[in-house]
Amino acid sequence: MEGGSFVKFAHDPGINVKEIEASVKRFLQENPVKHTFRLKRRVKASLVVGTPWIEDLFRFPSSRIKVEFLPTIAGGEAAELSQEELFSLFRPFGRLVNVTSQPPDLKILPRYAFLNFRAVRHAVMAKNCLHGVTVPYAGGGGMNGTVLRLGYEQIAKTRWMRGWLASHPRTVIPLIVFLVATIITVVVLDPANITQLFALGENKASQWLLSQINSARDNLGYGHHLYQADKAGFKALKDDRKESIAKIHKWLENSSADSLIVIQGPRGSRKKEFAIDQALSNKKYVLNIDCRPVQEARGDTKTITAAANQVGYWPVLLWMNKIINLIDITAQGMIHTKTDFSETLDSQLDNIFENTSEALRKIAMRGRKKTDEDVDKYLQAHPECRPVVVIDNFLHRSKESTMFYHKISEWAAKITRDNVAHVILLTDDVSKSFGKAFPDYAFRQISLEDCSPGIAKRVVIDLLKEDNTELQDDKGELDGCIDKLGGRITDLEDLSRRIKTGETLREAVDKIIKHSASEILKTYIFDHSSDWSAKDAWFLVKALASKDEIGYSDVLLSENFQSAGEASLQALEEAGLLTITRTNGRPQGIRPGRPVYRHAFGRLTSDHVLVAKLDLATLDELARMESQSIEKYEAELQRVVVLPKEAAAGLVPRIKWLGDRLQECQAKLERYESESQGLRKTLQKAH
């Protein structure tokens, strides 16, 4: 751990060792040997005059050495060297900072002294050269001489800062109170300033630091390859969406106060990447707000935290709100009146969005000079200076709770109306209406559809080229695979990843279809939501397995959807199993939620055992519903039978209608039971 090395040498008796030491030092001075890592430091040498102790204990060198004075013979006395004698003995090895002798009144034996060197390497040299040396009488060692035993002494780090603070309470306490009060005032009253204060990229130091980090990342290749592959791999997609990108640029440059941009598209169409990485790549300030984590949060505390995280609002100080709530409850129990100190979810969201609006306004006003027009006129005249707010997953799970969407809609409308920022809404469900959320607002809408077969083929080939992966199969076969998968971006990415791992086109497509079929069974049939039943989803799977599109009205009029109705279809559309096509806002047809689902539906319906099992469950459910209808009609007939003849005479049409309904229900019930028997036989043969 000390470094350095010992060199043994032999010499003629007539040569003095001091001459050899001087010759070695002179040679090293004329021919310097430089340190590997410290070029300015040179290698030095000194003559060992003592008996060094070679050990491998877990001890670290120190610039402080403890010198103990020992007698040369057992039972003898050792002389304590003075500071002057110690200085003259140790100074040749390096510069000394201090020499401290043992206090006279301290009766510890053996006597000792401390020497502090300026550098650790000087202390290492002195310890190894003088350990065990005998100091003669002439050097101050007494009549019989004195043996020096050397060892490192660790320097205790003095906590001078803590000592100074503790010794000056009249200065420290007021200063701490002032700093704490200032921080709390700034953080609580204007947290938007805190966000701007610590924002990276706003000063030269942070810009330089970010540039160095990005340069190191590029040189090391960490994360850079995947990012570039994503950009270049979707060059074909970007070229296909050039018109939409140009529209957004034009709208942002000439945006009016009462317009919002809505980007709609099915799941997996890369709306977020299209908006931020492509359409807004030239924008410096883009705030992305994802509604999904906020809407999926449970409880007011988690909802507030999720909303604050989306806009960078800090600190939330929820613990203070809990204390205030406790005070409010205590006061209510004592004086039977609320103090109204605590803040509700509504007020907390208002605070978050108000501070976010202020921060956005400051960003929009950065280019304004004192000689320019007033604030409102400047914001209206310079739409290019406004930041852009992208609200992703808008109206996600809007049926469960509307509080957050109500607040964010009001806020988005306000910052758009005040020319503070541009607002872009991203949504998966193309059927959702924004009229309730934004009344009296004109929407500029862009719909992202699945890629055409030609663009989808280019996307797959470009993704493979980025990793220098060649397509082993015929490119003509790729056309057939694209026809099965469709143009959904996520499925094309999955296909390219599987080909990169060594799978053939057929294997990759087959596994994607198989995985989609398993996903359908698990998500929509076996572990389905309470918003729809398994028979509803299975009916649609069977109907769409043989057709690209089925009629919306035909589904509603089928016996499977007599009880579920449109609510079940809308829930399945929101979950992603199907897509409802519309004409002039009216539902017209039903298609699979993803193009690959068409073949996944066919895979499921080709499994005779699965079909028999699910059809049997559907028939049992339908039979149960018909049995309930029969019981209802029979109960009404029994009530009619006990009526007097005069009263029952006028109910003959009703009785006839009930009889017809009973016959229809009974016929259906018999048909269900007959079909169920055949399905049970199929299941028995399968086992």
Side-chain angles (χ1 to χ4, degrees):
M1 295 184 182
E2 296 177 341
S5 60
F6 292 97
V7 179
K8 293 184 178 181
F9 62 92
H11 60 91
D12 294 336
I15 301 177
N16 190 351
V17 293
K18 292 293 185 180
E19 297 178 1
I20 297 176
E21 179 185 11
S23 300
V24 172
K25 289 183 177 181
R26 185 169 55 256
F27 176 82
L28 291 176
Q29 187 174 4
E30 295 175 355
N31 304 279
V33 180
K34 296 183 179 180
H35 196 276
T36 304
F37 301 103
R38 299 180 180 179
L39 301 178
K40 294 183 179 181
R41 182 177 297 178
R42 299 180 179 181
V43 175
K44 296 182 179 181
S46 295
L47 182 66
V48 178
V49 295
T51 305
W53 179 24
I54 309 300
E55 44 86 11
D56 59 352
L57 299 176
F58 197 74
R59 297 178 180 178
F60 294 94
S62 174
S63 60
R64 191 179 194 187
I65 291 180
K66 182 179 181 180
V67 182
E68 295 180 338
F69 308 106
L70 304 178
T72 55
I73 57 176
E77 293 184 0
E80 181 179 2
L81 275 67
S82 64
Q83 294 185 2
E84 293 82 358
E85 293 168 341
L86 290 172
F87 179 83
S88 61
L89 185 62
F90 284 88
R91 180 61 181 84
F93 298 98
R95 185 173 180 180
L96 287 166
V97 177
N98 191 19
V99 179
T100 306
S101 300
Q102 179 180 345
D105 56 344
L106 199 60
K107 305 302 181 183
I108 297 177
L109 294 177
R111 305 288 292 179
Y112 62 86
F114 291 109
L115 290 90
N116 291 74
F117 285 88
R118 186 175 182 179
V120 176
R121 64 180 185 275
H122 300 157
V124 171
M125 184 74 77
K127 173 183 175 296
N128 287 284
C129 293
L130 294 180
H131 179 79
V133 67
T134 301
V135 181
Y137 175 78
M143 296 297 296
N144 298 324
T146 300
V147 179
L148 302 183
R149 184 168 64 188
L150 308 181
Y152 298 116
E153 186 74 14
Q154 297 298 327
I155 301 176
K157 296 182 179 180
T158 58
R159 294 177 172 83
W160 60 271
M161 178 62 73
R162 187 175 66 181
W164 186 89
L165 293 175
S167 59
H168 297 79
R170 294 184 178 180
T171 304
V172 173
I173 293 177
L175 182 61
I176 293 177
V177 172
F178 173 76
L179 291 176
V180 171
T182 303
I183 293 174
I184 292 178
T185 302
V186 174
V187 168
V188 174
L189 297 182
D190 193 5
N193 286 335
I194 297 296
T195 304
Q196 295 300 316
L197 180 63
F198 293 99
L200 290 178
E202 301 305 322
N203 53 71
K204 294 183 178 180
S206 61
Q207 290 176 358
W208 177 85
L209 179 61
L210 288 176
S211 65
Q212 296 300 314
I213 293 175
N214 293 331
S215 176
R217 183 196 64 181
D218 295 343
N219 293 332
L220 295 175
Y222 178 74
H224 181 70
H225 178 68
L226 294 178
Y227 178 79
Q228 292 295 335
D230 181 73
K231 289 295 182 184
F234 290 108
K235 185 178 183 299
L237 184 63
K238 185 176 180 180
D239 294 340
D240 185 51
R241 295 174 173 176
K242 276 185 177 180
E243 294 184 3
S244 299
I245 295 174
K247 284 183 180 180
I248 294 179
H249 288 169
K250 182 178 179 181
W251 292 341
L252 294 179
E253 292 174 358
N254 304 291
S255 178
S256 60
D258 56 348
S259 64
L260 295 168
I261 300 175
V262 179
I263 301 178
Q264 296 179 332
R267 297 180 183 178
S269 56
R270 296 295 187 186
K271 295 179 295 298
K272 182 178 179 181
E273 289 77 2
F274 166 76
I276 296 178
D277 296 339
Q278 297 178 5
L280 302 178
S281 59
N282 60 336
K283 290 293 182 180
K284 184 178 181 181
Y285 300 105
V286 178
L287 175 61
N288 181 31
I289 300 177
D290 191 356
C291 299
R292 184 188 298 272
V294 182
Q295 194 67 7
E296 293 180 353
R298 292 294 177 264
D300 293 353
T301 300
K302 292 184 178 180
T303 301
I304 295 171
T305 303
N309 291 337
Q310 291 301 314
V311 299
Y313 182 91
W314 181 88
V316 182
L317 301 177
L318 293 175
W319 57 273
M320 293 185 63
N321 197 32
K322 292 181 180 180
I323 296 175
I324 294 174
N325 285 335
L326 182 61
I327 296 173
D328 198 359
I329 294 173
T330 304
Q332 184 179 2
M334 296 178 62
I335 63 178
H336 305 287
T337 304
K338 285 188 176 182
T339 60
D340 292 332
F341 289 152
S342 60
E343 292 187 344
T344 61
L345 174 61
D346 186 282
S347 60
Q348 290 274 19
L349 291 176
D350 287 338
N351 291 336
I352 292 174
F353 288 128
E354 285 177 6
N355 284 280
T356 306
S357 300
E358 185 61 27
L360 293 173
R361 181 182 292 274
K362 291 180 179 179
I363 293 175
M365 296 296 296
R366 285 182 177 178
R368 178 178 176 269
K369 300 179 181 179
K370 295 182 179 180
T371 57
D372 293 337
E373 57 269 20
D374 60 14
V375 175
D376 295 334
K377 291 183 179 180
Y378 176 84
L379 292 175
Q380 187 174 5
H382 297 83
E384 71 282 355
C385 298
R386 306 174 203 164
V388 182
V389 178
V390 179
I391 303 178
D392 193 10
N393 292 311
F394 186 67
L395 297 182
H396 171 72
R397 291 187 178 181
S398 57
K399 297 180 181 179
E400 298 179 2
S401 176
T402 59
M403 165 68 77
F404 176 71
Y405 288 123
H406 177 68
K407 291 296 179 182
I408 198 172
S409 299
E410 289 183 346
W411 173 71
K414 185 177 185 301
I415 61 176
T416 305
R417 183 174 58 253
D418 296 343
N419 297 316
V420 173
H422 303 285
V423 177
I424 298 179
L425 305 175
L426 309 181
T427 180
D428 295 336
D429 192 352
V430 296
S431 66
K432 289 177 178 175
S433 174
F434 299 93
K436 295 181 180 179
F438 298 95
D440 301 328
Y441 266 79
F443 294 98
R444 288 169 173 171
Q445 182 174 329
I446 290 179
S447 296
L448 300 181
E449 303 294 340
D450 293 328
C451 299
S452 62
I455 298 298
K457 183 177 180 180
R458 287 179 55 190
V459 169
V460 174
I461 295 176
D462 289 343
L463 287 172
L464 295 177
K465 286 182 178 180
E466 288 305 318
D467 285 343
N468 297 322
T469 303
E470 295 184 359
L471 190 63
Q472 302 297 331
D473 304 89
D474 184 9
K475 290 188 177 180
E477 188 176 355
L478 179 60
D479 296 334
C481 296
I482 296 298
D483 292 338
K484 290 183 179 180
L485 293 182
R488 192 63 54 88
I489 302 300
T490 51
D491 294 332
L492 299 178
E493 288 178 310
D494 193 10
L495 176 64
S496 63
R497 283 194 297 266
R498 292 180 182 275
I499 295 176
K500 291 175 184 178
T501 58
E503 297 180 6
T504 63
L505 276 172
R506 291 184 179 180
E507 292 175 348
V509 173
D510 185 70
K511 289 184 178 180
I512 292 174
I513 295 175
K514 183 178 179 181
H515 179 268
S516 300
S518 301
E519 178 185 0
I520 292 169
L521 282 178
K522 182 179 184 302
T523 306
Y524 304 108
I525 296 177
F526 292 153
D527 299 332
H528 61 85
S529 171
S530 59
D531 296 332
W532 68 86
S533 63
K535 72 177 182 62
D536 299 337
W538 178 241
F539 172 81
L540 294 170
V541 168
K542 291 179 61 179
L544 292 171
S546 57
K547 297 180 180 180
D548 292 334
E549 183 175 348
I550 57 178
Y552 186 85
S553 300
D554 296 337
V555 174
L556 288 180
L557 295 176
S558 65
E559 56 187 12
N560 292 74
F561 279 84
Q562 289 180 358
S563 60
E566 292 185 300
S568 179
L569 290 176
Q570 292 175 0
L572 286 170
E573 183 187 25
E574 187 174 351
L577 179 66
L578 55 91
T579 298
I580 300 176
T581 60
R582 289 170 170 81
T583 301
N584 298 326
R586 175 183 58 82
Q588 182 179 8
I590 297 176
R591 294 179 179 178
R594 288 165 51 190
V596 72
Y597 277 0
R598 165 74 187 282
H599 296 274
F601 293 160
R603 177 70 64 92
L604 293 175
T605 54
S606 63
D607 188 347
H608 300 293
V609 177
L610 177 66
V611 171
K613 180 180 178 181
L614 294 177
D615 283 349
L616 182 60
T618 300
L619 291 174
D620 291 341
E621 178 66 19
L622 293 175
R624 184 185 62 80
M625 294 169 58
E626 295 300 330
S627 298
Q628 292 177 352
S629 299
I630 290 174
E631 292 177 359
K632 182 179 67 174
Y633 297 146
E634 288 177 345
E636 186 175 352
L637 280 175
Q638 289 177 358
R639 291 194 298 271
V640 173
V641 170
V642 298
L643 293 175
K645 293 183 179 181
E646 295 80 5
L651 298 176
V652 173
R654 180 64 179 176
I655 294 174
K656 184 179 182 301
W657 183 87
L658 290 173
D660 294 341
R661 299 290 81 76
L662 282 172
Q663 289 180 1
E664 292 177 2
C665 293
Q666 183 61 31
K668 290 182 180 180
L669 190 59
E670 292 176 358
R671 179 167 57 88
Y672 295 156
E673 291 178 353
S674 176
E675 294 177 1
S676 298
Q677 290 178 0
L679 295 174
R680 290 190 179 93
K681 291 180 181 180
T682 302
L683 291 176
Q684 290 175 356
K685 292 179 181 179
H687 294 289

